[in-house]
Amino acid sequence: MRTIQVALSLHSALLADQIFSRLATTPWCHPATPADVTVVDASLATGPRTVAVLPRVGPVDHLLLMGVTGLVVADDPLDDIVRAIHDVHRFGGWMSPRLVRSLLPDPPRATLTARERETLRLLAEGWENAEIAAAMFITVSAVKYHVSNLLRKFGCRDRTQLVSRLGRSAAIAS
């Protein structure tokens, strides 16, 4: 029998009760490989088959280095926490979608020309190439040149990905 540890603050007795109550009524365990679910203090979150229930969204690198294979946030829906336990047991790992961003690298810092910064600002505001060209007193082909440089420098496939990756406020501040 495998043991799945659910690591959360032991001050969260209500959440622990809710988890056990949901597990008791959910036929999630494969009959050939039953699991014993235990709750341990969050400070003991180490090793495989451990689901860490975090108090808030934040960095999780240290938990991954300690071998934790399930990561959820305490205010995630109870169904997600139960699913994390199930997926750690059956498939080896699970992560709350809310925590994924903390693992993604920051966009690379690129050296931009003044024209590229202005083009990026206007792109972030939703302007089209012709509008950007008129505002900057340049040709549409020059705008396309600046946009292609921005895409290359930030490793993006299109202008939508560029603006979404950098974020509207980051793009405008550049």
Side-chain angles (χ1 to χ4, degrees):
M1 178 178 304
R2 292 186 197 174
T3 299
I4 306 295
Q5 292 185 351
V6 179
L8 68 137
S9 170
L10 292 183
H11 301 291
S12 304
L14 177 62
L15 181 58
D17 290 343
Q18 290 173 336
I19 292 169
F20 280 121
S21 163
R22 182 66 58 89
L23 288 173
T25 60
T26 306
W28 61 273
C29 189
H30 190 273
T33 55
D36 178 29
V37 178
T38 61
V39 175
V40 298
D41 189 65
S43 63
L44 302 176
T46 60
R49 291 188 306 275
T50 299
V51 177
V53 182
L54 307 174
R56 64 192 152 293
V57 174
V60 295
D61 297 354
H62 65 289
L63 292 168
L64 294 174
L65 290 173
M66 293 179 357
V68 172
T69 52
L71 296 164
V72 293
V73 184
D75 61 354
D76 278 349
L78 189 56
D79 288 340
D80 285 357
I81 296 172
V82 171
R83 177 163 182 201
I85 295 167
H86 169 264
D87 286 3
V88 164
H89 174 64
R90 291 285 310 278
F91 307 113
W94 200 88
M95 176 179 283
S96 170
R98 295 170 54 203
L99 295 170
V100 171
R101 179 74 180 117
S102 67
L103 293 177
L104 297 175
D106 289 332
R109 301 306 277 169
T111 304
L112 302 179
T113 66
R115 289 289 196 177
E116 289 169 341
R117 278 193 301 276
E118 180 67 9
T119 302
L120 183 58
R121 184 183 68 77
L122 296 173
L123 278 174
E125 291 179 10
W127 291 34
E128 297 296 326
N129 288 350
E131 295 170 318
I132 295 171
M136 294 175 63
F137 302 104
I138 59 177
T139 65
V140 172
S141 63
V143 172
K144 290 179 181 179
Y145 176 78
H146 293 312
V147 171
S148 88
N149 280 342
L150 290 167
L151 295 174
R152 181 183 45 78
K153 287 181 178 183
F154 290 101
C156 297
R157 71 180 168 273
D158 57 34
R159 60 199 290 152
T160 304
Q161 185 183 32
L162 175 67
V163 173
S164 67
R165 179 174 293 172
L166 297 177
R168 187 176 187 284
S169 61
I172 291 171
S174 294

